[in-house]
Amino acid sequence: MPALDEIDHLLLGLVQVDAARPLHELGDAVGLSPSAVQRRLLRLRTAGVIRAQVALVDPAAVGAALTAVALVALVDDDADHHAAFRDTMLAEPEVQQCFSIVGQWDYVVVLVTADLAANRALSRRLFADAPAVRRYETLPAYEAVKSGLTVPLPAAERR
């Protein structure tokens, strides 16, 4: 990864909030020309610092109104069970996020479905019917207090 300076951090903070912001606006905010901003953003993309530019869709607007967190424990710590579970999570569109964790659970999985019935069917398919899963607990969210994907940047370089 390249060394990041204050301007890189400022740009990253701005594009995390709105990646469609015009280059001249970004340049005005960080004190660079649009072409200099474009070169920096290209360098950050090429280096993998910026992994993707995506549109954040309101789940409720497209019929995916229920978010739930599932805690999953596998039957054992076998590498094949973990690989199979990860492959399943990666292939499933309703799995929004999946984290391998330490403790009594092996994974935390964030699911997005239309409603409780769809969540129940998905959980049964992904977890209850999976031979590698020992137990799971699904926690439907009542409301989203905060939902985002921005990465915190060093406080000294944020504006």
Side-chain angles (χ1 to χ4, degrees):
M1 288 290 164
L4 303 178
D5 63 17
E6 182 178 356
I7 292 175
D8 291 329
H9 285 132
L10 290 170
L11 280 173
L12 290 169
L14 293 167
V15 297
Q16 282 191 109
V17 173
D18 183 3
R21 199 165 169 184
L23 293 173
H24 68 72
E25 285 184 19
L26 293 170
D28 289 346
V30 300
L32 292 177
S33 70
S35 61
V37 169
Q38 186 175 36
R39 283 191 301 274
R40 279 184 182 253
L41 291 175
L42 178 60
R43 179 177 55 85
L44 293 168
R45 284 186 199 101
T46 302
V49 175
I50 296 175
R51 296 188 315 202
Q53 288 181 219
V54 299
L56 297 179
V57 176
D58 179 0
V62 294
L66 180 71
T67 299
V69 174
L71 303 170
V72 180
L74 301 186
V75 292
D76 59 38
D77 219 15
D78 179 64
D80 290 338
H81 287 140
H82 282 277
F85 183 81
R86 289 169 185 240
D87 289 345
T88 300
M89 296 302 101
L90 289 168
E92 189 62 50
E94 290 89 352
V95 172
Q96 192 171 54
Q97 298 180 33
C98 179
F99 300 94
S100 173
I101 60 172
V102 176
Q104 67 178 355
W105 300 98
D106 294 310
Y107 292 91
V108 173
V109 183
V110 178
L111 306 168
V112 178
T113 58
D115 54 28
L116 196 54
N119 180 274
R120 182 172 289 144
L122 178 65
S123 293
R124 185 174 17 261
R125 184 168 53 82
L126 293 180
F127 311 130
D129 296 341
V133 174
R134 179 171 27 114
R135 64 188 170 108
Y136 73 97
E137 184 175 346
T138 303
L139 307 164
Y142 177 68
E143 72 176 311
V145 176
K146 180 179 181 181
S147 176
L149 298 173
T150 58
V151 174
L153 300 168
E157 280 121 9
R158 274 189 277 162
R159 290 186 191 177

